[in-house]
Amino acid sequence: MGGILDNVIFAAFLCLIGGVATSSQGAVNAKLGQYSGQGLSSTIVFCIGAITSLIYFLIEVEGRPPADLASRLHQAPWWTWTGGVIGALFVIINILTIPKLGAGTTSAIIVCAQLVFSCIIDNFQFFGIAYRTYTLWRGLATVGLIGCVAAIAKF
């Protein structure tokens, strides 16, 4: 018997929440940047995010980290440690661009870039992801996405 995360509908629901959260996050962070300064804003965001992630971790492991955690982390590829830098880059880019481009245009460009690069990741199995062919349909969807960004951005 699988857990709730094995349920496709629940996983899709979480993705919807993630999409709303990501769109909101950029606007919220940009507004905080107006009050605190852009650099401090991203620092505050990541400190609060680190605390939130720590709480989730402690819930997940029921307050007892696995005994072999250090050896498991030592075995991780070097690039798995870049997630925090990538996350910070994402937050900083949002803080810098939303005041100039607006939340809709910024999100459209980012989502388009995410989807296109995600298809490339699937096709070339970057980061150990299972292979999924970049099909004609994915290619047509890519063109459609770029068209949507142009319409939203009014280029």
Side-chain angles (χ1 to χ4, degrees):
M1 182 174 209
I4 192 163
L5 290 177
D6 291 332
N7 182 301
V8 174
I9 293 171
F10 183 74
F13 177 70
L14 288 178
C15 289
L16 287 172
I17 292 171
V20 170
T22 302
S23 295
S24 302
Q25 178 192 28
V28 169
N29 293 348
K31 182 56 84 175
L32 179 60
Q34 291 176 347
Y35 292 96
S36 66
Q38 296 166 335
L40 181 58
S41 171
S42 65
T43 303
I44 291 168
V45 166
F46 270 90
C47 287
I48 293 169
I51 292 166
T52 305
S53 294
L54 178 62
I55 291 168
Y56 171 71
F57 169 71
L58 292 173
I59 291 169
E60 180 187 40
V61 298
E62 299 173 350
R64 295 181 307 275
D68 64 341
L69 181 60
S71 95
R72 288 173 39 192
L73 290 174
H74 184 69
Q75 295 172 5
W78 68 268
W79 47 265
T80 61
W81 296 95
T82 64
V85 174
I86 294 167
L89 183 62
F90 176 76
V91 168
I92 291 166
I93 287 169
N94 273 289
I95 291 168
L96 296 174
T97 59
I98 285 178
K100 291 169 184 42
L101 300 175
T105 299
T106 299
S107 294
I109 293 168
I110 288 172
V111 167
C112 182
Q114 283 177 314
L115 289 169
V116 170
F117 192 63
S118 293
C119 289
I120 292 168
I121 289 170
D122 285 346
N123 191 73
F124 293 103
Q125 297 176 291
F126 294 149
F127 313 115
I129 299 299
Y131 177 73
R132 294 188 106 173
T133 306
Y134 195 80
T135 63
L136 173 63
W137 290 111
R138 283 184 167 204
L140 291 172
T142 299
V143 172
L145 281 169
I146 293 167
C148 289
V149 169
I152 289 171
K154 299 178 193 170
F155 285 135

